Amino acid sequence: MNTEYFTQNEEIQKIISNLKNDISEKSFSDVIDEKGNQYVDLVQEGGGVLGIALLGYTYALEQVGIRFFSLAGTSAGAINTLLLAACDTVDNPKSEKIIGLMANKNLYDFVDGPFFVRFLLKTIKMGSKDKPSLKRIILTTLKLFGNLLFIVPVVVYVLARKGLNKGTNFRNWISDILKTSRIESTKDLLNLRIKPEGLYLKKGVDRTVDDLHPKLKIIAAEITTETRVIFPEMNNLFWNEPDNINPADYLRASMSIPIFFHPLKVAIENRVKKEDWKRYVKYKGKLPSVAHFVDGGVLSNFPIDVFHKNNVIPRLPTFGVKLGDDRNQVSKVGTVTKFLLAIFNSARHVLDYQFLLTHDDYEHLIQKIDIGEHNWLNFSISDEDKLDLFIRGAKAADEFLRKFNWDKYKKIRESLILKQL
């Protein structure tokens, strides 16, 4: 595959062409630049390989002149977040470059556990769409018998490492991508994340852009202290020289799906101050010697709250994009496994849901991508399914851009402020 496999697709071309014709004069923000680009903040939800749909969404927005000022995300959303932050300056489009990176990467490379783990995962990934045949039944029987020989070492390995896959392939892939943009440290990344020149506010807005500065927030869960960690702003909780940390480590922490990947372990360095833990996250206990990071989605899969300011009419909106609708049906609790899964899903969504319940104006800012029947853990996803997810993301962008009304949203925020006075 190459970039054109996605961008030159007939359906994608039609979506972009129609958007350019239909909304070219539409206002999405009060922050613009000399080229006519409009700036928004963007928060992206986690969702494994479904993150390819996020690329379709951001590609469509960039094609109509929308640029992402501040960025936040969890897990798969954090991947697109960091790449959008690192592949070029704030004012330039980046999604097309990221498409090329994804098109040339076999996602199954991320399954990098020992051979018995890879064998087991390959065996159990047989899809329900496979047509039954005598040959398949025989092969399946042999594989299931073979699995018995691998169950014991897999269990021992997981108990020892707390996960099936090392996550090294993923971390190295991200690190290599960052190097192409000359980014090997947090300092390098933040030097790229500067406010574009020529930025100004739309005529009639009685404020300035002087205090606006691009932010980056990648969410991970540190489980020894039960903390939602926001990188890079909480670096000093773990490292003595936080500016020197490779941003690839943030993604390695954020995408560490429990059990599927090893947690990222970070030895907390001896000059880290306990006072900072109290100030940043209200943690008052003894600091662990080693921090254990798992997927940020355990605590906050959709961190839509991170750019919010109370009692302020925003100069630029915070767009949020979700991968599907995770509250559209009753969770099944018939078996112990389903019961535990329902508890886990309830816990990991409650923080984000609580914010949305108390800030219902955000329903005007959030778009859900219909991800169909795609499985978020399908690392052996086909090229056709990648394209389908990409198109679904672009369709969601088309729907959102047509319905969003910036002036109406500002009036809603103004009315909320007046109610609180």
Side-chain angles (χ1 to χ4, degrees):
M1 284 196 303
N2 53 32
T3 303
E4 289 71 26
Y5 178 75
F6 295 90
T7 60
Q8 299 303 311
N9 173 268
E10 183 177 348
E11 194 166 0
I12 291 293
Q13 293 254 300
K14 183 177 180 181
I15 291 171
I16 302 302
S17 177
N18 288 340
L19 276 175
K20 288 181 176 179
N21 289 332
D22 298 343
I23 66 166
S24 60
E25 303 299 322
K26 191 171 181 177
S27 178
F28 294 98
S29 172
D30 288 340
V31 181
I32 56 180
D33 65 20
E34 295 171 340
K35 299 176 185 176
N37 296 317
Q38 303 186 65
Y39 289 77
V40 305
D41 294 339
L42 180 67
V43 177
Q44 301 177 79
E45 186 179 42
V49 301
L50 303 178
I52 296 169
L54 298 174
L55 262 178
Y57 185 86
T58 57
Y59 174 75
L61 265 60
E62 286 187 335
Q63 287 296 301
V64 295
I66 292 176
R67 298 291 179 264
F68 309 119
F69 195 72
S70 291
L71 291 155
T74 300
S75 195
I79 297 172
N80 203 29
T81 290
L82 181 60
L83 294 181
L84 285 169
C87 283
D88 209 331
T89 55
V90 176
D91 57 324
N92 284 325
K94 295 163 279 282
S95 293
E96 193 162 346
K97 181 176 181 179
I98 301 170
I99 293 167
L101 297 171
M102 294 299 298
N104 295 313
K105 179 62 177 176
N106 180 2
L107 300 186
Y108 203 76
D109 290 343
F110 298 153
V111 179
D112 61 353
F115 74 96
F116 49 83
V117 167
R118 297 196 303 273
F119 177 87
L120 183 67
L121 292 177
K122 274 186 173 293
T123 301
I124 64 177
K125 76 177 181 67
M126 290 183 61
S128 59
K129 295 180 182 178
D130 294 329
K131 295 180 179 179
S133 66
L134 179 60
K135 179 180 178 181
R136 180 165 299 282
I137 292 172
I138 294 173
L139 289 175
T140 302
T141 302
L142 291 173
K143 285 183 177 181
L144 289 174
F145 175 76
N147 281 346
L148 298 177
L149 304 176
F150 285 85
I151 287 175
V152 172
V154 168
V155 170
V156 171
Y157 183 79
V158 170
L159 290 175
R161 303 299 179 92
K162 301 179 178 64
L164 292 166
N165 298 290
K166 296 178 288 185
T168 303
N169 183 283
F170 173 84
R171 197 269 181 195
N172 291 342
W173 177 63
I174 293 295
S175 180
D176 289 342
I177 291 173
L178 296 178
K179 284 180 182 178
T180 64
S181 296
R182 299 182 180 179
I183 295 173
E184 298 187 56
S185 69
T186 300
K187 182 179 180 180
D188 294 335
L189 176 62
L190 296 182
N191 285 340
L192 185 66
R193 298 286 300 159
I194 59 175
K195 182 165 56 180
E197 294 183 5
L199 211 63
Y200 64 96
L201 289 181
K202 199 165 55 175
K203 188 176 180 180
V205 180
D206 188 24
R207 295 174 72 183
T208 72
V209 297
D210 294 346
D211 62 332
L212 285 178
H213 301 284
K215 299 179 180 65
L216 175 67
K217 297 177 184 284
I218 293 173
I219 311 302
E222 201 293 298
I223 58 175
T224 63
T225 59
E226 302 172 5
T227 300
R228 182 178 83 158
V229 176
I230 303 177
F231 290 122
E233 65 188 62
M234 295 184 184
N235 278 13
N236 60 317
L237 301 184
F238 308 97
W239 295 284
N240 295 331
E241 298 180 350
D243 287 346
N244 294 333
I245 302 306
N246 192 318
D249 290 332
Y250 309 149
L251 287 195
R252 174 63 184 85
S254 184
M255 55 71 73
S256 299
I257 301 168
I259 304 302
F260 194 82
F261 287 109
H262 298 180
L264 175 68
K265 298 180 182 180
V266 173
I268 297 181
E269 298 180 357
N270 54 17
R271 284 183 286 136
V272 167
K273 298 178 181 178
K274 188 174 180 179
E275 294 78 14
D276 288 337
W277 276 85
K278 184 177 179 181
R279 178 161 56 93
Y280 277 93
V281 297
K282 305 300 182 186
Y283 180 77
K284 303 174 185 178
K286 181 181 178 181
L287 294 183
S289 57
V290 178
H292 289 69
F293 294 101
V294 299
D295 193 314
V298 169
L299 296 177
S300 180
N301 203 40
F302 185 50
I304 192 64
D305 64 304
V306 293
F307 298 130
H308 180 74
K309 292 182 179 179
N310 285 319
N311 302 320
V312 173
I313 300 173
R315 285 161 286 183
L316 67 170
T318 297
F319 289 173
V321 55
K322 290 178 62 63
L323 293 165
D325 187 350
D326 41 32
R327 292 191 90 187
N328 63 354
Q329 60 183 7
V330 175
S331 295
K332 297 178 180 179
V333 295
T335 65
V336 172
T337 301
K338 290 178 179 178
F339 176 69
L340 293 175
L341 183 61
I343 293 174
F344 174 75
N345 283 332
S346 298
R348 73 189 185 97
H349 289 142
V350 67
L351 178 63
D352 303 330
Y353 287 159
Q354 188 59 38
F355 177 82
L356 294 174
L357 283 171
T358 54
H359 298 83
D360 54 8
D361 57 293
Y362 269 72
E363 68 181 68
H364 299 278
L365 301 173
I366 295 170
Q367 178 64 37
K368 298 172 183 176
I369 301 174
D370 176 10
I371 49 86
E373 299 299 318
H374 293 286
N375 188 313
W376 67 289
L377 275 177
N378 181 19
F379 285 91
S380 58
I381 186 171
S382 67
D383 293 347
E384 292 78 10
D385 284 347
K386 286 182 181 180
L387 177 59
D388 183 60
L389 281 170
F390 185 82
I391 293 172
R392 288 172 180 270
K395 285 181 176 179
D398 178 88
E399 179 184 342
F400 177 76
L401 292 174
R402 292 179 185 279
K403 71 182 180 182
F404 179 68
N405 188 318
W406 172 231
D407 292 329
K408 178 181 177 182
Y409 179 71
K410 286 193 294 181
K411 290 179 180 178
I412 291 173
R413 286 293 291 267
E414 183 178 10
S415 67
L416 290 173
I417 294 171
L418 291 174
K419 286 180 181 179
Q420 294 172 7
L421 295 179

